């Protein structure tokens, strides 16, 4: 398995200690966390996108460009790019530029978003977010594979003979499709034969396992080799300590604080206590041995080959964040890598050119959230 450390650059600072952190310091902490991730030998670092006062991740391209200069080997991800809000032409240009600046280390996870405030800020109707995400991706997919693109859609002006620059460094960038609550995302990923990334944040395992199973089924039905279906997954909140009691004690105020927020109410998590969330949900809170067992249990249900963890976004002191990352890298990652080898990157090179034809519209499910919500959980 490969490991992706991710952040939405939350503004809560040291919630456990009752202190706030300035935006300048938060950005510095995120940069240092990415550098530390590389030093620990983990595989990737991701920055999410959110346009709300609780987060500083409104300009992930800027942050990732800086990280490209401060790191040399880890992959760099968006976790996620809220494609429903953005102009695909601008996205094609920005992220192809990042592709060059990172020497081809960049990958994208797209999602439709889950924050009504964001849609209002950009002047869109929340009800259209699935349609905009799908249409914007259909265009983005073409722009990275074709020159002289002719395009006509509902959500942006028509294009005639359009070519975006720069062209990606070495063929189209790899795009993962963020999935949390609806078959819209699993269908889009399967149709294009591309990887799926399950949010796996707020609900019991079965909810996400059902969506992943739908992705694999539709992947084959769209004519793709089932063995080429690639899945990643989030992990809710993450906190490691030498004993489960210590981990729960330190994580509890963060979890309880999060559960009192409107975001938690919006996602309708069914867990009644932290113990319940750790027992029935995806949270990786406990000793290294417990976390290894938990990851193995979820791998049995998901078959995922990339795991995302977030430790720096919601209020732990920096020293404690680093301690969790170090325990994960030294005592969890080696065991999981041995037990669950990943084909990601080695056996899944960057995609070749070519397009997928636009199919007739399928049913739309307007449910709770998408991957942007996954990194919003404390940890």
């Amino acid at each position: 398995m490969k490991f992706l450390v991710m952040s939405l650059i939350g503004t809560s600072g040291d919630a456990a200690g009752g202190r706030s952190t300035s935006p300048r310091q938060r950005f510095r902490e995120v940069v240092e966390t990415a550098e530390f991730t590389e030093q620990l030998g983990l595989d990737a670092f991701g920055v999410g996108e959110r346009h709300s006062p609780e987060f500083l991740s409104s300009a992930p391209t800027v942050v990732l460009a800086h990280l490209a200069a401060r790191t040399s080997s880890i992959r760099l991800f968006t976790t996620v790019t809220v494609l429903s809000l953005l102009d695909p032409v601008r996205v094609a240009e920005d992220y192809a530029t990042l592709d060059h600046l990172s020497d081809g280390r960049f990958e994208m996870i797209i999602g439709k978003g889950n924050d009504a405030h964001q849609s209002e800020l950009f002047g869109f109707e929340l009800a259209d977010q699935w349609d905009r995400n799908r249409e914007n991706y259909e265009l983005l997919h073409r722009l990275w594979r074709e020159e002289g693109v002719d395009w006509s859609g509902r959500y942006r002006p028509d294009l005639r003979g359009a070519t975006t620059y720069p062209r990606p460094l070495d063929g189209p960038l790899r795009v993962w499709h963020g999935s949390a609550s609806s078959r819209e995302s699993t269908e889009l990923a399967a149709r294009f034969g591309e990887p799926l990334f399950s949010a796996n944040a707020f609900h019991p395992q079965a909810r996400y396992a059902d969506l992943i199973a739908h992705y694999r089924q539709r992947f084959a039905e769209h004519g793709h080799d089932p063995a080429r279906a690639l899945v990643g997954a989030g992990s809710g909140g993450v906190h490691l300590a030498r004993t489960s009691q210590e981990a729960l004690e330190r994580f509890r105020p963060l979890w309880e604080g999060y559960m009192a927020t409107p975001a938690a109410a919006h996602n309708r998590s069914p867990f009644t206590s932290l113990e319940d969330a750790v027992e029935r949900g995806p949270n990786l809170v406990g000793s290294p041995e417990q976390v290894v067992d938990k990851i193995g249990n979820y791998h049995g249900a998901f078959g995922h080959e990339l795991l995302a963890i977030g430790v720096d976004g919601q209020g732990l002191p920096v020293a404690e964040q680093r301690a969790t990352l170090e325990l994960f890298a030294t005592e969890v990652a080696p065991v999981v890598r041995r037990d669950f080898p990943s084909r990601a990157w080695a056996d899944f090179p960057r995609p070749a050119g070519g397009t997928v034809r636009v199919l007739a519209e399928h049913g739309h499910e307007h449910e709770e959230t998408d991957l942007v919500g996954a990194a919003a959980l404390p940890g």
Side-chain angles (χ1 to χ4, degrees):
M1 193 172 292
K2 302 294 185 183
F3 302 103
L4 163 65
V5 178
M6 64 182 185
S7 174
L8 270 173
I9 321 182
T11 58
S12 58
D14 180 3
R19 295 182 293 273
S20 62
T21 305
S22 70
R24 180 184 184 190
Q25 182 60 29
R26 283 295 295 122
F27 283 123
R28 287 182 174 180
E29 289 172 359
V30 168
V31 173
E32 291 168 359
T33 300
E35 293 174 325
F36 191 57
T37 297
E38 183 167 80
Q39 293 165 14
L40 289 172
L42 297 174
D43 303 290
F45 190 85
V47 176
E49 179 181 354
R50 245 341 190 359
H51 302 271
S52 65
E54 295 83 9
F55 304 97
L56 300 173
S57 53
S58 59
T61 52
V62 178
V63 178
L64 287 163
H66 186 63
L67 295 182
R70 295 288 293 264
T71 61
S72 60
S73 61
I74 55 171
R75 300 268 172 157
L76 298 173
F77 273 73
T78 59
T79 53
V80 302
T81 294
V82 188
L83 192 59
S84 66
L85 304 178
L86 307 175
D87 181 353
V89 171
R90 180 80 260 186
V91 172
E93 295 171 338
D94 283 351
Y95 287 109
T97 300
L98 267 174
D99 190 32
H100 285 269
L101 292 173
S102 67
D103 292 326
R105 291 185 286 135
F106 178 74
E107 302 198 21
M108 175 184 285
I109 304 175
I110 64 167
K112 55 86 179 170
N114 78 328
D115 189 330
H117 171 74
Q118 294 185 133
S119 291
E120 181 180 344
L121 183 65
F122 281 81
F124 295 122
E125 296 291 332
L126 191 64
D128 293 337
Q129 59 186 347
W130 284 118
D131 293 334
R132 283 187 275 109
N133 184 70
R134 186 187 67 252
E135 182 178 291
N136 286 351
Y137 186 62
E138 290 168 353
L139 177 53
L140 177 63
H141 188 273
R142 290 189 61 190
L143 290 171
W144 276 340
R145 288 162 174 79
E146 302 176 40
E147 299 182 6
V149 172
D150 293 334
W151 170 263
S152 180
R154 291 178 59 192
Y155 298 106
R156 61 147 293 126
D158 293 351
L159 296 174
R160 293 292 176 263
T163 302
T164 57
Y165 297 100
R167 307 303 295 160
L169 177 63
D170 186 23
L173 283 73
R174 180 156 60 174
V175 175
W176 302 66
H177 295 255
S179 165
S181 62
S182 169
R183 290 185 173 188
E184 287 279 355
S185 293
T186 53
E187 175 65 26
L188 192 64
R191 186 181 122 206
F192 281 91
E194 292 174 331
L196 184 78
F197 197 95
S198 173
N200 190 39
F202 304 110
H203 293 274
Q205 184 183 91
R207 181 185 184 102
Y208 303 107
D210 287 346
L211 288 167
I212 291 170
H214 176 260
Y215 161 71
R216 294 186 188 279
Q217 175 187 337
R218 294 295 292 150
F219 193 95
E221 290 172 354
H222 278 293
H224 306 295
D225 179 358
R228 304 297 294 174
L230 182 62
V231 174
S235 53
V238 180
H239 189 64
L240 276 70
R242 286 297 173 190
T243 67
S244 60
Q245 293 81 3
E246 181 185 355
L248 288 167
E249 179 183 356
R250 289 297 299 160
F251 195 70
R252 188 179 309 280
L254 308 180
W255 187 84
E256 291 176 348
Y258 173 76
M259 292 302 292
T261 66
H266 173 77
N267 285 292
R268 294 181 285 181
S269 178
F271 306 124
T272 58
S273 67
L274 175 57
E275 285 78 5
D276 184 35
V278 171
E279 175 68 24
R280 297 194 298 125
N283 298 278
L284 300 178
V285 179
S287 68
E289 295 79 12
Q290 289 172 312
V291 169
V292 167
D293 289 345
K294 184 75 165 282
I295 293 171
N297 177 276
Y298 270 75
H299 182 270
F302 295 172
H304 57 304
E305 302 182 49
L306 175 68
L307 174 69
I309 62 172
V311 299
D312 77 331
Q314 308 300 321
L316 282 172
V318 172
E320 204 160 345
Q321 298 166 17
R322 301 286 169 81
T324 280
L325 274 180
E326 190 162 12
L327 269 178
F328 190 94
T330 58
E331 299 193 23
V332 174
V335 178
V336 176
R337 282 176 172 147
R338 180 198 67 205
D339 292 346
F340 309 111
S342 175
R343 303 169 298 163
W345 302 317
D347 294 339
F348 286 78
R350 289 172 68 115
T355 60
V356 174
R357 64 188 178 91
V358 176
L359 304 181
E361 287 193 13
H362 42 82
H364 305 315
E365 300 177 53
H366 301 285
E367 298 187 24
E368 304 158 35
T369 185
D370 214 311
L371 183 62
V372 264
L377 195 64

